[in-house]
Amino acid sequence: MIANIRQYQTENLFLLMGGNPLPNYIAAISLLNPKGKALLLHTSQTQLQAQRLQNVLSKYQSFATALLIDIGKLQADSYAIYQAVKQVANSLKTSVGLNYTGGTKAMSVHAYRAITDIHPNAVCSYLDANTLEMYFDSNEQNSDRLKVLPKLSLAELFELHGLIWRSHPIDSPVLPDLATQFA
């Protein structure tokens, strides 16, 4: 285990969008430097999830506006994935990271390849949903890992999943004794 996630934070973080934007939110909040930019690689099927994540991240004044990278319906096309990521990665002059928790297997493999071809010192990571540990890749030793527990409001969770409130949530317990018994 490592002590501090800051050593793995980058200015630019590629995130591969899947159907659930929550792991990418956790990766962005944990792995982006202040003023960092999320680079959201998505397909036509995950465009809405990417837009929702972009919107939630825009509310954090410390981050730059997330960039959407659309590969359309080419989620399994190795050349299309590699070229889309390579084009963006070539323009980056500061630190680069990749979190490959989301997206398709093909997106993971070919985005990883494109990024590490251009930025050999890129910080590559994976969030294990079972343990909430972020694994950091290494070819020389076992992967470093760190428990991540970022703050997430219920409003942000709803927004990430495109849900809306029917009525404003109540901030205080209605039946505290019953809640205590349930707990």
Side-chain angles (χ1 to χ4, degrees):
M1 295 284 262
I2 59 172
N4 193 337
I5 202 163
R6 286 189 184 140
Q7 71 189 76
Y8 293 102
Q9 291 178 337
T10 61
E11 295 293 325
N12 304 284
L13 179 64
F14 284 88
L15 298 167
L16 312 179
M17 296 304 301
N20 181 1
L22 185 56
N24 285 322
Y25 168 84
I26 292 170
I29 297 303
S30 302
L31 299 175
L32 273 174
N33 273 342
K35 303 295 182 193
K37 179 184 280 191
L39 309 157
L40 310 178
L41 183 67
H42 68 87
T43 66
S44 54
Q45 291 178 314
T46 59
Q47 180 175 359
L48 187 57
Q49 289 86 346
Q51 290 169 338
R52 288 179 185 148
L53 180 57
Q54 180 186 44
N55 189 50
V56 170
L57 293 176
S58 73
K59 294 177 182 172
Y60 287 82
Q61 294 179 354
S62 62
F63 297 140
T65 302
L67 175 67
L68 300 179
I69 306 167
D70 186 2
I71 59 169
K73 296 183 180 197
L74 302 174
Q75 65 269 7
D77 186 319
S78 61
Y79 180 79
I81 296 164
Y82 186 90
Q83 291 303 316
V85 173
K86 178 183 173 186
Q87 180 180 0
V88 175
N90 270 328
S91 69
L92 303 175
K93 304 300 179 212
T94 56
S95 60
V96 175
L98 165 67
N99 183 275
Y100 52 89
T101 305
T104 64
K105 292 175 179 125
M107 286 168 67
S108 295
V109 169
H110 302 296
Y112 195 107
R113 204 168 48 92
I115 291 166
T116 57
D117 282 355
I118 295 161
H119 297 278
N121 294 323
V123 176
C124 298
S125 60
Y126 178 82
L127 176 62
D128 184 339
N130 294 319
T131 62
L132 286 179
E133 288 182 313
M134 192 72 71
Y135 282 77
F136 298 96
D137 297 358
S138 172
N139 292 329
E140 299 168 7
Q141 62 186 28
N142 287 336
S143 297
D144 285 338
R145 62 185 196 276
L146 178 68
K147 184 77 95 175
V148 290
L149 299 169
K151 292 181 181 178
L152 174 69
S153 72
L154 198 52
E156 288 172 323
L157 182 62
F158 268 53
E159 189 175 351
L160 283 170
H161 292 286
L163 303 172
I164 56 171
W165 299 107
R166 289 190 178 177
S167 62
H168 190 63
I170 300 168
D171 292 339
S172 58
V174 175
L175 300 169
D177 293 336
L178 184 59
T180 301
Q181 290 177 9
F182 277 132

